Structures are given as structure tokens and as C-alpha cells.
Amino acid sequence: MSPLRYSSFLVLLVINIYALVCGDGVDLSVSELGDKLEQMNPSLSSSAAVNSPVFKPAVHPAFSLNLLSAFPEDLEISDYCNELLHIFGQRYVAYVNCLVPAARPVKVCQNCFPAYGSLKEIYANISSEQVAPGAEGCSGTLLRSDRLMLVYVLYSNLEDLWDKSHCEECIVGYHSLSNDTLYFMATLNLTLTCFEKYQQGNHSELCKSCKSPYRDLNELYSGMEKNNTLCIDIEDAMNMTRRLWSKNFNCSFPRAETVPVIAVSSFMLFLPIIFYLSSFLHSEQKKRKLIHPKRAKSYSSLMNIQDKLS
């Protein structure tokens, strides 16, 4: 170690010991300490900054990230696939932003079918092997190039949600709602309008005045249920309407299918009685025996003797 560096080291040591022991306001930061050294010996500041563990040259973080992201051109995705990925991200976000407000009350199908149609379209372009001339397919690059398969998993989750909602039963080609769905919504609006009109005050008037539109709504729902034309929007709307009718307004409505249910139940109750009665009558018939009178028997034997004598 040169005498110059040794003297500088002693100066630093003395200053630090003095600050720790005395504590009389001497509080030097690293920058102030460097300034003192530079004032004492300008030629030493640059060499001390390089060799000291305190003064380390800063490395720009973007430089290291750029080095890590630099791959050969044959491993990078094409501009065409990158554009498809960008569009997929935009449409994915748009569809999710539509789903969240449509959670309660459920309006997933009627509000979000255009967004899902657009997302389904761009995913079909990504997964298709038939692309424009001179362009390579993006399914291998964007869907199956890594273990995570992020694009595939994201779309599969939303597709599974769409299938469980049975939204295909309520729409026509991702362009409009079906006629059955529109007619159900119109009938539902009539029923809810009647509820709003008579919900204030005595609910007996509501049960009497809204019985007809509520009955029409139930019959329409039963027909759609048999035809398998229900989606989650219609199911949830009907459940909420029935809850209002029975629980909130305390109304009752005899449904048409209760009559055959009562008839079948009555038949099942009387079935054991009919069974035991028929068994008793059948056993009594077996006990009966044909008994011939004695006089008739003797007369027949007498006739046989006369025939032999003659």
C-alpha cells in the first residue's frame, strides 16, 4: 500500500472513530465522506471509488433485461402472430369486463354474447393452420410452445364457463338473441311490471291481479324447459320471479301438474288395500268344494242296478 493511500485510510478511520465516540453532531454520509476525500486529495477519489465496496458503479437494469430478451430471430414469433396475440388480449379483457357486472343478476348470455363471439373468432384464427400465403401458423407458437400454454388455458376456462351457461340455447350465431328468449323476456317484463304496480300495500291484490301474467310466464318456462331452450339467464330470472311470488308476496298458485300428482299418489295409497282384498277373495274361492247330496248319490246307484237287471 502506498503512503498516500495509507494516510487517506487513517484519515477515514479517525473521522469514523470520532463520530462514534463523541456523537457531538458529526454525522457524515457516504457522499459527504467522498467530498471530504476529494477535497483532501482529488487524485485519490477516483481510485478509492472504484476499489471501495461502498462506491460501486451502478448498472442500468434495462441493460441486463435487454440482454436476457435477445434471442435468435428464428425463435422469435412473427409479426403476424404477435398481432393476433395482441388482439386476443384486447378481446379477452373486453369479455371479462362484461362478465363481472353480469354476475348478479345473471345476464351473461344476453349482455356478453358479442364479446364472446369476437373472442372465439380471434382464437379460431390463432389455432387455425390455414393462414395467409407466406405466413406461418400460430398455433404451435402461441398455444403449445411451453408447458404453461397460457393462451389455451385462458380461453378454455372462458369456453367452459360459456358451455355451463348454455348460452348457445338463447342466441343466434353470436349476432342476436333467439325469438324464444325475446318472447320470454317480454313476458317477464309484464309480470315484473305488475309486481311493481301492486307491491305497495296489501299483497292480496297483487296475488289476484298478477295471477294471469305469472301463470303465462310459468307455462312459457315449462315449455322452454321441455324443448331444452333454456340458458342461465332465463333460469335465474325465473327463480328470482318465483321467489318474489311465493316468499316476498306470499302468493300461492296451483300448478297444473299437481292434479296428476295427486291422482297417482292416491292410487299408490289404495294399491295395498286392493292387493290384500284380491288375495282374500282368491283364497276363499279355493276353499269352496262341491258337495253332492246323499239322496242324489243313492238314486244314481239305484239306476245303475236297474240297468244291470234289465
Side-chain angles (χ1 to χ4, degrees):
M1 180 180 292
S2 62
L4 185 60
R5 291 187 179 183
Y6 183 75
S7 60
S8 300
F9 175 77
L10 290 179
V11 172
L12 288 174
L13 183 60
V14 170
I15 292 175
N16 288 330
I17 294 174
Y18 182 79
L20 292 174
V21 175
C22 298
D24 55 350
V26 179
D27 187 12
L28 298 178
S29 63
V30 174
S31 60
E32 293 173 346
L33 199 57
D35 294 338
K36 283 185 173 296
L37 288 175
E38 187 176 0
Q39 293 175 1
M40 296 171 60
N41 195 342
S43 62
L44 182 64
S45 60
S46 59
S47 60
V50 174
N51 297 327
S52 174
V54 178
F55 300 94
K56 291 186 177 296
V59 180
H60 198 278
F63 180 72
S64 59
L65 293 178
N66 289 334
L67 288 179
L68 292 176
S69 62
F71 291 105
E73 294 182 358
D74 56 344
L75 296 180
E76 296 287 347
I77 64 174
S78 62
D79 293 338
Y80 173 74
C81 297
N82 194 21
E83 181 65 21
L84 290 181
L85 183 62
H86 179 68
I87 298 175
F88 176 84
Q90 290 179 336
R91 297 185 180 182
Y92 187 91
V93 172
Y95 181 55
V96 172
N97 288 337
C98 179
L99 288 177
V100 174
R104 293 301 309 162
V106 181
K107 295 182 180 180
V108 172
C109 303
Q110 56 183 315
N111 288 356
C112 303
F113 70 89
Y116 180 77
S118 299
L119 181 65
K120 188 179 182 69
E121 180 183 6
I122 192 62
Y123 184 81
N125 293 335
I126 292 175
S127 59
S128 176
E129 299 294 340
Q130 298 178 358
V131 295
E136 298 180 357
C138 302
S139 59
T141 305
L142 299 180
L143 302 182
R144 298 184 297 271
S145 61
D146 55 82
R147 179 176 59 84
L148 186 59
M149 297 188 298
L150 183 61
V151 176
Y152 171 78
V153 172
L154 290 175
Y155 179 78
S156 298
N157 291 335
L158 294 185
E159 186 180 34
D160 183 62
L161 179 65
W162 180 265
D163 293 338
K164 289 181 179 179
S165 302
H166 298 287
C167 291
E168 297 290 343
E169 307 297 336
C170 292
I171 64 173
V172 180
Y174 305 104
H175 299 298
S176 63
L177 296 173
S178 64
N179 293 331
D180 293 340
T181 303
L182 293 174
Y183 184 68
F184 177 85
M185 294 300 177
T187 308
L188 176 65
N189 289 335
L190 291 177
T191 305
L192 296 180
T193 302
C194 185
F195 288 173
E196 293 178 359
K197 182 178 180 181
Y198 295 99
Q199 67 180 352
Q200 301 296 334
N202 191 2
H203 288 168
S204 59
E205 184 66 21
L206 183 146
C207 299
K208 180 180 179 181
S209 301
C210 301
K211 182 178 180 180
S212 179
Y214 181 73
R215 181 181 62 247
D216 296 339
L217 184 66
N218 271 278
E219 292 177 354
L220 179 60
Y221 181 83
S222 299
M224 297 179 67
E225 189 175 17
K226 293 178 181 178
N227 298 330
N228 294 324
T229 56
L230 294 179
C231 60
I232 188 61
D233 294 14
I234 296 179
E235 294 176 8
D236 184 73
M238 193 66 214
N239 290 335
M240 294 179 64
T241 306
R242 287 175 173 172
R243 192 180 303 120
L244 285 174
W245 176 263
S246 60
K247 185 176 180 181
N248 292 38
F249 303 140
N250 198 21
C251 299
S252 60
F253 181 74
R255 303 179 65 180
E257 58 267 22
T258 56
V259 177
V261 170
I262 295 175
V264 173
S265 301
S266 302
F267 175 76
M268 296 299 294
L269 289 175
F270 284 101
L271 188 61
I273 300 175
I274 297 173
F275 174 76
Y276 286 115
L277 182 61
S278 61
S279 300
F280 175 76
L281 295 176
H282 184 67
S283 61
E284 287 296 326
Q285 289 179 358
K286 286 185 176 182
K287 291 180 181 180
R288 293 178 182 178
K289 294 181 180 180
L290 184 60
I291 303 176
H292 297 281
K294 294 181 179 180
R295 186 177 299 176
K297 184 177 181 181
S298 60
Y299 177 78
S300 60
S301 60
L302 180 61
M303 291 298 294
N304 292 332
I305 296 173
Q306 290 180 357
D307 291 336
K308 290 181 180 180
L309 293 177
S310 62

